[in-house]
Amino acid sequence: MTAARTRRRVGRGALGALALLVAALWVFPVYWMVLSAVTPDAYLRTSTPSFLPTHFTTGNLEAVIGGSGFGTALRMSLAVTLVTVLAVLVFAFLAALAISRFEFRGRRSFVLAVLFVQMLPAEGLFIAQYKMLSTASLLNSVLGVSVLYTAAIVPFTIWMLRGFVASTPAELEEAAMVDGLSRFQAFLRITLPLLAPGLVASGVYAFLQAWNEFTVALVALPSESAQTLPLWLRTFLAASVNRGVNWAEVMAASSLLAVPVIIFFLAVQNRMTSGLVSGAVKG
Amino acid sequence: MADTLVRAAPVQATGPRRRTRTRPGPRSGIAYLLAAPSLAILLLGLGYPVYWQVITSLQEFGLAQQFGQPPEFIGLDNYARIFGEDDLWAVVVRSLLFCMVNALLTVGIGLALALLMRAVRPWVRIILQSCLLLAWAMPMVAAVTVWRWLFDWRTGVVNWLLVQVGFDGYAGHNWLAQPLSFFFVATVIIVWMSVPFVALSIFAGLTQVPDEVLEAARIDGAGAWQTLRHILVPMVRPVIAIVLLLQVIWDLRVFAQIRLLQDSGAPVSETNLLGNFIFELGIGRQDFAGAAAVSILVLVLTVLLSWPYVRSLMKELS
C-alpha cells in the first residue's frame, strides 16, 4: 500500500516536471521576443545567446516607434479596427435579436447560412474580393477592408451573441412591460444591461480579429502607405533580410504589435472562454 | 491568433440544447429588419465574391478582357486547363499531406497535454495553462516573425542548441532554404500556435467526467492506462472529433504562415500550398479565371468538410 502510494507520488512528481518543461517550451518564443526587444542588437549577435535580461535597453523600441511607417500603420490599424468593431457589434446584435427572439420564415436557413459562411476561408475568396475592391476603387481604403472584415467577423459574432440573448429571459422584459414600460424602454433598461458582458466579449473578439488580420489586408491594402500593423511588420523584416537582419528591432516591432493584444487577451480571456467553453461543456 | 476565439467555439457543439423563447407570427417583419444589415454585408463581402468567382471561372478572362472586352463564356475550359497542370496537383497533394500531418500532430499533442494537466497538481496545471494561453494570444504575424528569429541560420537559438548537444552540422544551417525543412519549420509554428486551443478544449471536456465514474473504475481495479483508454478518452471523444475536424479545415487553408516564411528566400514554387498557389496565379500572374477555378475547389472542399461541424452546431438551435 505505501509502496504503491510512494510510486504514485514519484510518478506525479515526474509528470509535474514534464508539465513544467512543456510550459517553458511553449512560452519560450513569447519570452524570447520580449527579451530580444529590450536587448541591444550587438548582444544578440554573440555566438552564445544570453537567456536573461542582462543589458536592458529601450533603444530598439524607440527606434521602431520613431522610424518611418510605424505611426502611419498604427493609425491605419486603429481606423480599420474601430470601424470594424462598431459595424460588427451593431449588425451582429440586431441579427442575434432576430434569430433568438423572433420566429420567422427563413430563420433556419439564415442561421445555416451564417454558420457556413463563417467557415469560408479567406484564401478561397480573396481573388474575387481584390477584383471587387479594385473595380470599386476601394483598394487601400479603410472602408474597403472594413467591409471585408465585417463580413468575415459578423457570422461568428451573431452566433456568439445569440447564446447571450437566448439566455436572457424574455419574461423579465414582459414583466417590465406589464409594469407600464414600453417595449423599447423595457429592452433598454432590462435586457441591454444583461447583455453587456456578451457585447464586451463580442467587441473584444472583433477587435482581436481585425487587429491581427493579415491575409485579407495583404490583398486589400497593396500600397505601402496604407499598411496595417501586421503588414508593416512583414515589410519591416523583409526590408532588412538582404543586409543582415537587426533582430533586436524586428522583435521590438513584433512586441509592439503583440504585447497590447496579449494583455487584452489575458484580461478578458477568463471571462470569455469560461463563458464559451466551460458553460457550454457543462450542460 | 486569427482564430483565437473562433477556436473557443467548437466546444459549444457538445453543449446542451438550450430552449429559446421565440415569439411566433405577426412580428416577423421586425425580424427581417433586424437581420437585414448583417445579410446585406454578408452578401456584399462574401456572397458577391463567391458569385463572381463562379462566373469568372466559366469565362475567358484574358488580357483582352482586362482592357474592357466583354468576357466570353467557355464552360469548364478553365477547370480543364488548370486541373490539367501537374503544378496544381503537386500543390493539392502537398496541401493535403501538410494538413493531415499538422492536424493529427496538433490533436495528438493537445490530447496528451490535456491528460497531463489532469494528472498534475493544481499549481503546476495553472502554470502550464498560463503558458499555453500566452502562446495562444500571440498574433500570427508576430509568432511567425519570432520563429524566424529562433530558426535564424546565423544566430538563431535552435541552431545554437543543436550545436550544443553535439550536432555540429547545424552551425549555420539554413532551415528555410530546403522544402522539407521549410515545412518542418512551418509545422512547428502551426502546431505551436494551435495546440493551446486543442489542449484547453479537451481539458475542459475531461473535467466533466464525473468523479463517481473514476471512483468506480478504481474500486473495480482499473489501472491508470485502463482508466485512460476505456473511460477518459471515450468520454471526450465528441470534443476530440470536433477539434480534429476544425484543425483539418483550418490547416487546409494555411496561407499567411507560408507566405511569411517564403520571405526569407525559400524556393516559392516548391513550398506553395493551395492558398499561395491561388494568390500567385490571381494577383501575381493576373490569371483570374484560373485562380477563380482553384478557389471554387477550395470552397467546395471547405463546405464538404464543414458539414458535420455545422450540423452539430445547428442541433443547439431549437
Side-chain angles (χ1 to χ4, degrees):
Chain A
M1 189 66 193
T2 36
R5 189 173 294 165
T6 318
R7 199 164 57 220
R8 197 175 302 150
R9 189 171 296 162
V10 171
R12 211 179 193 197
L15 285 178
L18 178 65
L20 291 177
L21 186 71
V22 172
L25 210 63
W26 239 267
V27 86
F28 181 73
V30 183
Y31 172 74
W32 193 238
M33 173 183 77
V34 176
L35 179 67
S36 305
V38 295
T39 304
D41 191 52
Y43 289 94
L44 297 183
R45 292 176 189 274
T46 53
S47 55
T48 305
S50 151
F51 294 101
L52 292 169
T54 42
H55 297 88
F56 182 85
T57 175
T58 55
N60 304 316
L61 290 161
E62 285 161 20
V64 171
I65 293 172
S68 71
F70 177 75
T72 324
L74 178 64
R75 269 195 299 280
M76 190 69 186
S77 269
L78 286 174
V80 170
T81 307
L82 190 71
V83 172
T84 305
V85 169
L86 287 179
V88 163
L89 276 183
V90 173
F91 292 4
F93 175 58
L94 296 179
L97 277 184
I99 59 172
S100 54
R101 284 290 167 85
F102 295 91
E103 193 64 69
F104 58 94
R105 271 173 61 103
R107 172 167 166 269
R108 251 190 97 79
S109 338
F110 179 66
V111 177
L112 200 65
V114 162
L115 290 176
F116 262 117
V117 296
Q118 130 185 296
M119 304 307 296
L120 293 185
E123 293 75 23
L125 291 166
F126 58 14
I127 294 299
Q129 292 175 330
Y130 169 79
K131 274 308 271 186
M132 180 172 94
L133 292 189
S134 85
T135 310
S137 306
L138 282 176
L139 284 178
N140 300 316
S141 72
V142 173
L143 178 64
V145 77
S146 302
V147 166
L148 299 184
Y149 280 2
T150 306
I153 301 170
V154 130
F156 181 71
T157 323
I158 293 177
W159 188 249
M160 196 166 154
L161 275 173
R162 185 208 63 94
F164 281 101
V165 177
S167 61
T168 310
E171 286 85 354
L172 279 180
E173 216 174 288
E174 277 154 15
M177 283 161 69
V178 171
D179 290 344
L181 292 179
S182 73
R183 168 170 293 278
F184 184 65
Q185 283 173 319
F187 174 77
L188 217 60
R189 297 210 199 147
I190 311 290
T191 311
L192 204 57
L194 288 173
L195 287 178
L199 288 170
V200 170
S202 309
V204 169
Y205 168 74
F207 163 79
L208 293 173
Q209 296 294 309
W211 183 262
N212 294 336
E213 211 284 337
F214 174 79
T215 303
V216 171
L218 185 69
V219 298
L221 306 170
S223 156
E224 211 162 287
S225 59
Q227 286 180 333
T228 52
L229 284 173
L231 293 178
W232 162 82
L233 175 57
R234 176 198 183 212
T235 315
F236 191 89
L237 173 56
S240 64
V241 158
N242 292 329
R243 48 181 170 77
V245 180
N246 181 334
W247 282 111
E249 283 190 11
V250 172
M251 286 303 108
S254 293
S255 303
L256 284 171
L257 172 70
V259 170
V261 172
I262 294 177
I263 292 172
F264 210 169
F265 184 88
L266 294 185
V268 292
Q269 177 278 331
N270 209 4
R271 203 153 98 203
M272 266 190 305
T273 39
S274 69
L276 281 166
V277 180
S278 65
V281 177
K282 265 172 195 152
Chain B
M1 186 65 192
D3 294 310
T4 305
L5 288 159
V6 177
R7 298 188 163 215
V11 190
Q12 283 189 325
T14 58
R17 292 186 186 203
R18 226 173 280 142
R19 279 245 148 250
T20 318
R21 201 186 146 81
T22 47
R23 282 189 205 108
R27 312 183 52 85
S28 63
I30 299 181
Y32 291 127
L33 269 182
L34 293 174
S38 292
L39 197 60
I41 197 88
L42 290 177
L43 285 176
L44 181 66
L46 305 173
Y48 177 75
V50 171
Y51 164 81
W52 184 91
Q53 275 176 184
V54 172
I55 299 296
T56 307
S57 72
L58 300 173
Q59 288 175 338
E60 171 84 43
F61 201 101
L63 210 56
Q65 280 71 30
Q66 295 279 346
F67 289 99
Q69 287 265 336
E72 188 188 336
F73 183 81
I74 54 167
L76 295 176
D77 283 8
N78 285 315
Y79 290 87
R81 174 169 62 86
I82 290 291
F83 290 93
E85 280 178 26
D86 293 345
D87 269 15
L88 175 73
W89 291 108
V91 171
V92 168
V93 170
R94 199 183 295 145
S95 296
L96 290 177
L97 256 178
F98 183 79
C99 166
M100 288 305 151
V101 169
N102 276 274
L104 288 176
L105 270 177
T106 303
V107 174
I109 296 173
L111 174 62
L113 292 193
L115 291 169
L116 190 59
M117 281 184 221
R118 214 190 129 268
V120 297
R121 291 173 194 287
W123 68 269
V124 177
R125 190 184 71 227
I126 290 168
I127 291 177
L128 180 54
Q129 284 174 328
S130 311
C131 290
L132 290 178
L133 273 174
L134 275 168
W136 187 5
M138 275 283 270
M140 187 271 300
V141 181
V144 178
T145 310
V146 176
W147 280 102
R148 275 183 68 185
W149 166 215
L150 288 169
F151 276 100
D152 184 61
W153 63 278
R154 245 189 317 207
T155 47
V157 172
V158 175
N159 282 353
W160 174 81
L161 201 64
L162 285 169
V163 170
Q164 292 305 303
V165 296
F167 296 98
D168 289 338
Y170 282 95
H173 179 72
N174 190 345
W175 292 82
L176 298 173
Q178 304 295 326
L180 206 61
S181 59
F182 176 95
F183 281 115
F184 173 76
V185 175
T187 301
V188 168
I189 297 176
I190 286 164
V191 169
W192 178 77
M193 289 177 73
S194 321
V195 157
F197 158 73
V198 174
L200 294 171
S201 296
I202 297 179
F203 177 72
L206 284 175
T207 58
Q208 303 311 312
V209 177
D211 285 341
E212 298 84 42
V213 177
L214 298 171
E215 185 73 12
R218 194 160 57 237
I219 290 169
D220 288 348
W225 173 245
Q226 284 170 312
T227 313
L228 178 67
R229 186 154 180 272
H230 296 293
I231 298 180
L232 288 175
V233 172
M235 287 190 92
V236 290
R237 186 160 291 154
V239 182
I240 295 176
I242 289 286
V243 291
L244 181 63
L245 182 66
L246 283 173
Q247 288 304 324
V248 169
I249 293 169
W250 287 328
D251 290 342
L252 197 61
R253 57 162 79 161
V254 167
F255 161 81
Q257 292 91 331
I258 301 295
R259 177 98 198 150
L260 290 164
L261 286 176
Q262 284 174 342
D263 283 348
S264 64
V268 172
S269 62
E270 289 164 70
T271 52
N272 271 348
L273 297 184
L274 268 169
N276 307 86
F277 185 79
I278 298 173
F279 185 87
E280 211 182 289
L281 203 59
I283 292 173
R285 285 193 258 154
Q286 302 279 306
D287 177 1
F288 289 105
V294 185
S295 300
I296 299 290
L297 168 78
V298 171
L299 292 182
V300 169
L301 264 178
T302 309
V303 169
L304 289 178
L305 282 170
S306 308
W307 181 245
Y309 173 62
V310 169
R311 208 179 40 191
S312 76
L313 285 182
M314 277 305 275
K315 276 195 208 141
E316 228 189 291
L317 194 81
S318 52

